[in-house]
mmCIF file of all heavy atoms in Angstrom:
data_model
loop_
_atom_site.group_PDB
_atom_site.id
_atom_site.type_symbol
_atom_site.label_atom_id
_atom_site.label_comp_id
_atom_site.label_asym_id
_atom_site.label_seq_id
_atom_site.Cartn_x
_atom_site.Cartn_y
_atom_site.Cartn_z
ATOM 1 N N VAL A 118 11.614 1.514 -19.536
ATOM 2 C CA VAL A 118 11.063 0.220 -19.184
ATOM 3 C C VAL A 118 11.982 -0.412 -18.086
ATOM 4 O O VAL A 118 13.214 -0.039 -17.988
ATOM 5 C CB VAL A 118 11.030 -0.792 -20.342
ATOM 6 C CG1 VAL A 118 10.041 -0.284 -21.392
ATOM 7 C CG2 VAL A 118 12.429 -0.990 -21.000
ATOM 8 N N VAL A 119 11.427 -1.281 -17.297
ATOM 9 C CA VAL A 119 12.157 -1.929 -16.206
ATOM 10 C C VAL A 119 12.388 -3.403 -16.649
ATOM 11 O O VAL A 119 11.440 -4.088 -16.981
ATOM 12 C CB VAL A 119 11.376 -1.863 -14.901
ATOM 13 C CG1 VAL A 119 12.164 -2.525 -13.762
ATOM 14 C CG2 VAL A 119 11.073 -0.431 -14.570
ATOM 15 N N VAL A 120 13.614 -3.840 -16.538
ATOM 16 C CA VAL A 120 13.949 -5.286 -16.769
ATOM 17 C C VAL A 120 14.344 -5.916 -15.486
ATOM 18 O O VAL A 120 15.257 -5.404 -14.761
ATOM 19 C CB VAL A 120 15.039 -5.419 -17.838
ATOM 20 C CG1 VAL A 120 15.439 -6.914 -17.979
ATOM 21 C CG2 VAL A 120 14.568 -4.834 -19.163
ATOM 22 N N GLY A 121 13.688 -6.978 -15.162
ATOM 23 C CA GLY A 121 14.012 -7.731 -13.933
ATOM 24 C C GLY A 121 14.445 -9.137 -14.283
ATOM 25 O O GLY A 121 14.013 -9.714 -15.365
ATOM 26 N N GLY A 122 15.207 -9.825 -13.464
ATOM 27 C CA GLY A 122 15.623 -11.232 -13.692
ATOM 28 C C GLY A 122 15.468 -12.076 -12.532
ATOM 29 O O GLY A 122 15.741 -11.650 -11.336
ATOM 30 N N ALA A 123 15.044 -13.294 -12.667
ATOM 31 C CA ALA A 123 14.927 -14.285 -11.629
ATOM 32 C C ALA A 123 15.748 -15.505 -12.003
ATOM 33 O O ALA A 123 15.592 -16.063 -13.063
ATOM 34 C CB ALA A 123 13.477 -14.670 -11.389
ATOM 35 N N PHE A 124 16.745 -15.842 -11.142
ATOM 36 C CA PHE A 124 17.607 -16.947 -11.371
ATOM 37 C C PHE A 124 17.186 -18.145 -10.571
ATOM 38 O O PHE A 124 17.060 -18.001 -9.371
ATOM 39 C CB PHE A 124 19.080 -16.555 -11.070
ATOM 40 C CG PHE A 124 19.598 -15.399 -11.894
ATOM 41 C CD1 PHE A 124 19.376 -14.083 -11.450
ATOM 42 C CD2 PHE A 124 20.277 -15.654 -13.008
ATOM 43 C CE1 PHE A 124 19.810 -13.047 -12.209
ATOM 44 C CE2 PHE A 124 20.767 -14.581 -13.834
ATOM 45 C CZ PHE A 124 20.517 -13.285 -13.406
ATOM 46 N N ASP A 125 17.033 -19.278 -11.170
ATOM 47 C CA ASP A 125 16.702 -20.466 -10.398
ATOM 48 C C ASP A 125 17.883 -20.953 -9.650
ATOM 49 O O ASP A 125 19.023 -20.977 -10.071
ATOM 50 C CB ASP A 125 16.276 -21.663 -11.407
ATOM 51 C CG ASP A 125 14.997 -21.334 -12.097
ATOM 52 O OD1 ASP A 125 14.223 -20.544 -11.567
ATOM 53 O OD2 ASP A 125 14.794 -21.898 -13.159
ATOM 54 N N GLY A 126 17.652 -21.360 -8.401
ATOM 55 C CA GLY A 126 18.685 -21.889 -7.536
ATOM 56 C C GLY A 126 18.724 -23.408 -7.566
ATOM 57 O O GLY A 126 17.900 -24.042 -8.162
ATOM 58 N N PRO A 127 19.679 -24.015 -6.886
ATOM 59 C CA PRO A 127 19.739 -25.501 -6.762
ATOM 60 C C PRO A 127 18.486 -26.030 -6.168
ATOM 61 O O PRO A 127 17.909 -25.509 -5.263
ATOM 62 C CB PRO A 127 20.979 -25.689 -5.912
ATOM 63 C CG PRO A 127 21.784 -24.430 -5.972
ATOM 64 C CD PRO A 127 20.793 -23.386 -6.093
ATOM 65 N N ALA A 128 18.033 -27.180 -6.741
ATOM 66 C CA ALA A 128 16.819 -27.821 -6.215
ATOM 67 C C ALA A 128 16.947 -28.181 -4.787
ATOM 68 O O ALA A 128 15.972 -28.164 -4.011
ATOM 69 C CB ALA A 128 16.532 -29.053 -7.077
ATOM 70 N N SER A 129 18.152 -28.451 -4.336
ATOM 71 C CA SER A 129 18.372 -28.808 -2.913
ATOM 72 C C SER A 129 18.107 -27.681 -1.941
ATOM 73 O O SER A 129 17.624 -27.909 -0.822
ATOM 74 C CB SER A 129 19.825 -29.392 -2.664
ATOM 75 O OG SER A 129 20.770 -28.377 -3.046
ATOM 76 N N SER A 130 18.306 -26.437 -2.411
ATOM 77 C CA SER A 130 18.114 -25.314 -1.475
ATOM 78 C C SER A 130 16.787 -24.625 -1.647
ATOM 79 O O SER A 130 16.245 -24.054 -0.754
ATOM 80 C CB SER A 130 19.211 -24.266 -1.731
ATOM 81 O OG SER A 130 19.055 -23.678 -2.977
ATOM 82 N N GLY A 131 16.215 -24.805 -2.884
ATOM 83 C CA GLY A 131 14.934 -24.135 -3.124
ATOM 84 C C GLY A 131 15.080 -22.669 -3.221
ATOM 85 O O GLY A 131 14.005 -21.933 -3.242
#
Side-chain angles (χ1 to χ4, degrees):
V118 296
V119 182
V120 175
F124 299 86
D125 292 336
S129 59
S130 69

